[in-house]
Amino acid sequence: MKKLLSAFLSMTLILALAACGGDGGGSGAPAGKEAPDLNQFYEDFMASLGEDNQPAMMDVEADFIPQVYPGLEDYELKQSVLKTPMISSVAFEIALVELADASKAQEVADIFQARIDYQVETGAYYPATVESWEKAQVITQGSVVALICAGSEQDQAVEAFNKLFA
């Protein structure tokens, strides 16, 4: 009888814990979904361009974040993929962040828009790079904010990013 009672109480405890589990606190992603793996998106998108069409990219690391995206260092990020070209004459930059607090998404979108505005006004030196930066977009999907400046692949990059949240 004690074994039966122990087994019954164990099952009750397991079911109670499962019922209280929830979804892990919500990431702020649309429709209750978890945010996608932003680095995987970046890697997949770059691979889709083919080896010959990929610009040489580098990470914007901690020490340089305030120089490239002033203010971004003040936000708690769950994920970040900050990529800029190794050559400044190439207008191809992808910045993807997932915020710990989705209510701050507009503030980060403003930081990314300031980056675009700077590049259009004074940062891009050549007509083709200015044109690419004029087409750049900031996209917000729940707690995820993206800056996409992808030159001739701009539409393809934006479409691929938006499909993550469809």
Side-chain angles (χ1 to χ4, degrees):
M1 183 68 164
K2 288 182 181 179
K3 287 183 181 180
L4 184 60
L5 182 59
S6 292
F8 175 75
L9 289 175
S10 295
M11 290 302 291
T12 303
L13 180 61
I14 290 170
L15 290 173
L17 290 173
C20 295
D23 67 356
S27 66
K33 294 181 184 177
E34 258 188 60
D37 182 334
L38 300 178
N39 191 61
Q40 188 64 53
F41 164 76
Y42 173 78
E43 295 295 331
D44 291 346
F45 175 71
M46 294 302 283
S48 77
L49 299 178
E51 212 171 288
D52 295 337
N53 293 327
Q54 293 180 23
M57 302 292 282
M58 65 181 188
D59 292 316
V60 178
E61 295 177 342
D63 294 345
F64 294 106
I65 290 173
Q67 294 173 19
V68 180
Y69 309 108
L72 185 61
E73 71 277 7
D74 298 333
Y75 294 88
E76 182 183 349
L77 306 177
K78 288 179 150 183
Q79 299 183 69
S80 67
V81 177
L82 306 171
K83 303 285 188 172
T84 190
M86 290 182 170
I87 301 171
S88 62
S89 63
V90 175
F92 199 105
E93 187 167 315
I94 295 181
L96 310 165
V97 297
E98 178 188 6
L99 298 157
D101 182 355
S103 70
K104 305 290 185 183
Q106 184 56 53
E107 295 170 26
V108 171
D110 292 343
I111 290 170
F112 285 171
Q113 186 60 53
R115 171 71 174 164
I116 293 171
D117 295 343
Y118 171 79
Q119 289 296 94
V120 168
E121 293 166 15
T122 60
Y125 300 110
Y126 305 101
T129 56
V130 171
E131 183 180 325
S132 290
W133 277 103
E134 288 173 339
K135 293 178 182 176
Q137 294 180 350
V138 175
I139 305 165
T140 302
Q141 295 279 0
S143 63
V144 177
V145 184
L147 179 159
I148 299 175
C149 179
S152 61
E153 290 84 14
Q154 180 69 26
D155 293 339
Q156 178 186 350
V158 169
E159 182 180 332
F161 179 77
N162 285 329
K163 281 184 180 178
L164 292 173
F165 300 92

